[in-house]
Amino acid sequence: MKEVDVGREFYHRLANRNRYQGDGRYTAEHFRGKYLYDLDKEDAWKDDKISVVFNFENVKKIGPSFANEAFAYFMKYATPKQLKEKIRFKNISGVQELIIEQELESGYSR
């Protein structure tokens, strides 16, 4: 299981869905491609060896559109419960967790 310090290794402000939102940098699409590419196939959700822990200790903000594109994207393969077994969050605030939960429950939308 790999662990990623999101705020240090990626960025502390998770707000942009894609290159067209905000300043177009540090996007959820880039994040998903960099850290979650192994999960972007149906078989990966059956493989117990594939998982990741995201440490949010140094993350200051996560926006709904980022959470939707980075995490709810995988609702085509899994349920929210299954996603939380593969993708774990450490040192995440209640508000950050609530934003992610809300996006997982509402599903993926572009």
Side-chain angles (χ1 to χ4, degrees):
M1 180 179 315
K2 66 180 175 180
E3 183 170 326
V4 177
D5 182 332
V6 177
R8 288 203 171 129
E9 294 178 39
F10 187 74
Y11 199 57
H12 66 277
R13 186 176 174 276
L14 309 177
N16 298 332
R17 171 185 293 276
N18 56 35
R19 63 188 173 108
Y20 302 111
Q21 189 176 18
D23 64 6
R25 296 174 26 192
Y26 306 104
T27 69
E29 287 179 342
H30 181 237
F31 179 88
R32 193 178 71 226
K34 184 172 184 172
Y35 300 110
L36 296 168
Y37 59 89
D38 287 340
L39 291 173
D40 202 1
K41 51 188 171 271
E42 197 167 344
D43 291 346
W45 293 87
K46 298 171 189 160
D47 186 344
D48 292 337
K49 295 176 188 164
I50 300 173
S51 63
V52 63
V53 174
F54 289 118
N55 186 341
F56 269 53
E57 183 176 10
N58 296 300
V59 172
K60 304 296 180 212
K61 173 188 177 171
I62 184 168
S65 62
F66 187 98
N68 184 270
E69 189 68 40
F71 304 115
Y73 169 87
F74 294 104
M75 294 301 88
K76 62 185 176 182
Y77 302 120
T79 65
K81 182 182 177 192
Q82 291 169 317
L83 181 130
K84 289 183 274 183
E85 290 170 1
K86 288 265 187 212
I87 301 172
R88 296 194 185 127
F89 301 95
K90 179 176 163 181
N91 298 316
I92 189 168
S93 75
V95 171
Q96 292 168 338
E97 190 170 28
L98 186 61
I99 289 168
I100 293 170
E101 290 280 334
Q102 182 64 42
E103 292 307 311
L104 295 179
E105 292 299 329
S106 62
Y108 178 64
S109 61
R110 260 194 164 317

